[in-house]
Every structure is written in structure tokens, then in C-alpha cells.
């Protein structure tokens, strides 16, 4: 069974601060997705990384996939109240009976105070 | 692109009745859809994998006779909660797997089920 440990679980910061969320696993993933979810809504896909060592930037968000494709991080620069939400990482399986499934981390609830 | 809708967005039903939730991929075809359950402030819990034209695959601990899944077309999957009980109250979310090598799933907006 693949597990994805996400940390921290809760993050409460002031507007303008930087933060990093981590996802770690002992398993190799074929891809790694990051989602953001607001209360009462479905998760929205932010980015997909597939290559070990890959770095993707989305405005103030920087996503990194570990060289061994077992871990990933999300870094937010100068956080804003609009960044508040539940952030989820999810690892994609390459094949076998788990093909197509995503393994989700426990989630990080981010609150950015004005 | 890659929009998934869910209907209804919320539903209240009485204990013992059945409720059907629809999940549609609006602008792409999805041979595989997934159904999740989510408790407040927690991550998603996969319930089952729905494959077009074949039986759904349920995760361990999920009762297939209680949570009936039908994937009759490439754009529609339905989840029917049969003989609902208050403990079935939850947020149910579907996703559709986008064809391609990145294993991306696009999620519906979710359905809030309350069983009284």
C-alpha cells in the first residue's frame, strides 16, 4: 500500500509570509498532483509534475518533484488571504491494479490572516 | 477544459430512502471515474473506481450493495446510496480521469448528503 505523508497538517500565518508544504513517501510515483480545495467545493488541480527533479512555477507558487519521485513540495511566496484553503498532494500509480488511482496525502489546512 | 459536474450539489433525505448522485464529464470522455467521500477538514477517501461498461471496483470496507455505482456512458457515472442512514451523511465527490500519461483527475464540485 502506497502512503503519502503530508506536513504540516495545519498552517496559520500572516499575509506576506512564505510557507512550504511537504509530501513524502517511501514509494515511487509516476506523477504527483497538487490540488487546492475550498470549503464545500471540489478540489481544483493546480499542477502535475512527472519528471524527477522537476520544478514548476505558478505565479507565487513553486512546486518541486524529488529526484527519486518519492516526495514533493509546494512553496508559496508572500501568502495572501486568498491562498487560504485545503491543499492536497496526490501521487499517481504507474501501473498494476492501482493504475489510474491517486494516493492522497492527509492535506494541509492553510489560513492566511490579513 | 476538463470540467466535471455533479448533481445535486446538496440533498437531504430521510433514513431508509435511496439517493442518486450524478457525475458528468462535460468536455471530455472519461472511461474511468472515481467516487470519494470526505469528512470535514480531512483528505479524500476513495470509495470506488468506476469503469465505463464494466462493474465498479470497490475499496476495502466499502459496501458495494449499499453504494451502487453505474457508469453507463463515457460521460456519466452515478452513485446511489441505498437505504441511507444518518452515518452516511457526508460530502461525496466524484472525479474523472483525463486521458493521457499524467494520471490527472478532475473533480466535481461535490454533493453534500444529509440523512435525517
Amino acid at each position: 500500500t502506497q502512503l503519502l505523508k503530508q506536513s504540516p497538517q495545519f498552517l496559520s500565518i500572516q499575509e506576506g509570509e512564505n510557507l512550504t508544504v511537504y509530501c513524502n513517501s517511501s514509494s515511487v510515483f509516476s506523477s504527483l498532483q497538487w490540488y487546492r480545495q475550498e470549503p464545500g467545493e471540489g478540489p481544483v488541480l493546480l499542477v502535475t509534475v512527472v519528471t524527477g527533479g522537476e520544478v514548476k512555477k505558478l505565479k507565487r507558487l513553486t512546486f518541486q518533484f524529488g529526484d527519486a519521485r518519492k516526495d514533493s513540495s509546494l512553496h508559496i511566496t508572500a501568502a495572501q488571504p486568498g491562498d487560504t484553503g485545503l491543499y492536497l498532494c496526490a501521487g499517481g500509480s504507474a501501473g498494476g491494479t492501482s493504475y489510474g488511482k491517486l494516493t492522497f496525502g492527509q492535506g494541509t489546512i492553510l489560513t492566511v490572516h490579513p | 477544459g476538463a470540467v466535471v459536474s455533479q448533481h445535486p450539489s446538496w440533498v437531504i433525505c430521510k433514513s431508509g430512502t435511496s439517493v442518486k448522485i450524478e457525475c458528468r464529464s462535460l468536455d471530455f470522455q472519461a472511461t474511468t471515474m472515481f467516487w470519494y467521500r470526505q469528512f470535514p477538514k480531512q483528505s479524500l477517501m476513495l470509495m470506488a473506481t468506476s469503469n465505463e461498461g464494466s462493474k465498479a471496483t470497490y475499496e476495502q470496507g466499502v459496501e458495494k450493495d449499499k453504494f451502487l455505482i453505474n457508469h453507463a456512458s463515457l460521460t456519466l457515472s452515478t452513485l446511489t446510496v441505498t437505504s441511507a442512514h444518518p452515518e452516511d451523511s457526508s460530502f461525496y465527490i466524484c472525479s474523472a480521469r483525463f486521458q493521457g500519461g499524467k494520471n490527472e483527475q478532475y473533480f466535481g464540485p461535490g454533493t453534500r448528503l444529509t440523512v435525517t
Side-chain angles (χ1 to χ4, degrees):
Chain A
T1 304
Q2 293 180 309
L3 292 174
L4 202 48
K5 290 186 178 181
Q6 189 172 340
S7 64
Q9 267 191 286
F10 302 94
L11 204 47
S12 181
I13 62 174
Q14 293 296 126
E15 183 175 2
E17 292 183 11
N18 302 331
L19 66 112
T20 303
V21 179
Y22 300 93
C23 270
N24 297 288
S25 176
S26 57
S27 304
V28 176
F29 292 102
S30 60
S31 64
L32 201 295
Q33 281 88 41
W34 284 92
Y35 293 86
R36 177 169 168 267
Q37 184 182 21
E38 296 198 41
E41 299 181 12
V44 174
L45 180 64
L46 296 175
V47 79
T48 299
V49 285
V50 297
T51 306
E54 184 175 1
V55 176
K56 279 193 174 179
K57 290 192 175 184
L58 189 66
K59 295 184 180 178
R60 294 176 293 101
L61 278 60
T62 302
F63 305 86
Q64 188 162 7
F65 202 12
D67 291 340
R69 290 186 291 141
K70 292 182 180 181
D71 52 80
S72 181
S73 64
L74 157 61
H75 182 79
I76 300 179
T77 304
Q80 298 176 359
D83 296 326
T84 294
L86 172 66
Y87 288 81
L88 296 160
C89 63
S93 299
T97 58
S98 298
Y99 180 71
K101 288 185 183 179
L102 291 178
T103 299
F104 278 88
Q106 298 96 322
T108 296
I109 297 177
L110 170 65
T111 305
V112 183
H113 301 280
Chain B
V3 178
V4 178
S5 71
Q6 243 178 281
H7 178 80
S9 54
W10 60 269
V11 58
I12 301 173
C13 71
K14 291 187 176 180
S15 191
T17 61
S18 296
V19 174
K20 181 187 283 189
I21 302 170
E22 292 186 350
C23 178
R24 293 180 186 273
S25 56
L26 297 185
D27 51 1
F28 67 102
Q29 294 183 331
T31 55
T32 305
M33 292 184 174
F34 301 88
W35 287 95
Y36 296 84
R37 186 171 179 176
Q38 186 178 34
F39 294 102
K41 297 188 178 181
Q42 291 188 23
S43 188
L44 305 178
M45 183 183 77
L46 179 64
M47 298 174 65
T49 302
S50 169
N51 293 297
E52 186 268 336
S54 64
K55 290 184 179 180
T57 304
Y58 292 82
E59 295 300 300
Q60 195 171 9
V62 178
E63 298 176 57
K64 61 180 181 181
D65 294 331
K66 180 166 187 62
F67 299 99
L68 300 178
I69 291 173
N70 184 278
H71 194 155
S73 77
L74 288 171
T75 59
L76 173 64
S77 175
T78 61
L79 168 68
T80 301
V81 183
T82 63
S83 187
H85 291 285
E87 55 264 33
D88 298 325
S89 298
S90 191
F91 194 52
Y92 292 88
I93 311 176
C94 72
S95 72
R97 188 169 73 88
F98 194 76
Q99 300 289 4
K102 293 186 177 181
N103 230 349
E104 291 174 338
Q105 290 182 24
Y106 289 87
F107 286 83
T111 297
R112 170 71 57 192
L113 170 64
T114 302
V115 184
T116 60

